[in-house]
Amino acid sequence: ETAPASVDILWSFNDGNTGGQGTGGALETTGTVTVNITTVNDVPAGTDATITLDEDSSRALTLADFGYSDAENDPIAAVRIDTLPVIGSLLLEGAKVTAGQVISAADIAAGKLTFTPIDNSNGAPYATLTFSVSDGTDFDASPNTLNFDVTANNDAPTFGANDGIALTGGRLGSAYDAVLQPDGKLIVVGMIFD
């Protein structure tokens, strides 16, 4: 709610004379005082949140992810990234975001701010950043936390040249090849013949 630019205060003083303090009755005076009001912006607030995404995927951040609120109902203008995730990539239009960088609400609404975990990695929480929202005048004085939970996927096995450690062996009537992949999975391909 917007305050008025000024208010007038009407006042009245009466000495309360009922005849015991002298003749002439009660004395009274009135007046008006004008008080000018200078509005002050209320600082907006963000909200802690957790975003869940799948392993080997990216997530475009949205304005809703930052939980913005403002007493004057000013729209969100920007988000400052106060601290970066230690793992994964936070990118603005494909370029790395830096700590303290201010991202416009328009860029976030356009899907230009993304988080991508490292391939084949997961966890909960996987990564964390802190942020402060802005109404265009002030930033939230207390940064909030955004957690990223990355859900594991069952990766299909692969068998390629120079992929892992190759083992070859066999016995009479059979042959096999085995590959120990970097993620610890063992792939065995074999054949039995007469």
Side-chain angles (χ1 to χ4, degrees):
E1 188 173 321
T2 304
S6 64
V7 292
D8 291 332
I9 299 175
L10 303 174
W11 53 267
S12 173
F13 290 112
N14 182 316
D15 68 359
N17 185 0
T18 58
Q21 292 94 355
T23 60
L27 297 176
E28 187 174 343
T29 187
T30 58
T32 303
V33 173
T34 300
V35 177
N36 295 319
I37 300 172
T38 303
T39 58
V40 176
N41 184 56
D42 290 315
V43 177
T47 305
D48 293 346
T50 297
I51 295 173
T52 302
L53 66 154
D54 288 333
E55 173 184 312
D56 304 329
S57 68
S58 291
R59 167 72 151 65
L61 277 65
T62 67
L63 293 174
D65 293 331
F66 300 100
Y68 178 83
S69 64
D70 184 68
E72 290 96 9
N73 293 318
D74 293 327
I76 186 170
V79 173
R80 182 181 63 219
I81 304 301
D82 296 314
T83 63
L84 296 170
V86 174
I87 189 168
S89 299
L90 185 65
L91 305 174
L92 179 64
E93 292 188 271
K96 287 185 179 182
V97 172
T98 58
Q101 185 171 346
V102 176
I103 314 294
S104 73
D107 282 347
I108 296 169
K112 296 178 181 179
L113 182 63
T114 60
F115 176 76
T116 305
I118 295 172
D119 284 346
N120 296 314
S121 62
N122 56 73
Y126 174 81
T128 300
L129 64 81
T130 59
F131 66 91
S132 299
V133 294
S134 173
D135 60 4
T137 303
D138 293 308
F139 281 95
D140 186 350
S142 301
N144 293 98
T145 301
L146 187 58
N147 292 311
F148 296 95
D149 287 354
V150 179
T151 304
N153 287 335
N154 185 15
D155 297 319
T158 59
F159 190 82
N162 301 318
D163 188 11
I165 301 169
L167 307 168
T168 303
R171 60 186 177 106
L172 187 59
S174 68
Y176 68 87
D177 284 317
V179 175
L180 181 60
Q181 295 190 300
D183 65 1
K185 294 177 184 169
L186 180 65
I187 300 174
V188 178
V189 177
M191 162 183 353
I192 298 175
F193 51 90
D194 290 323

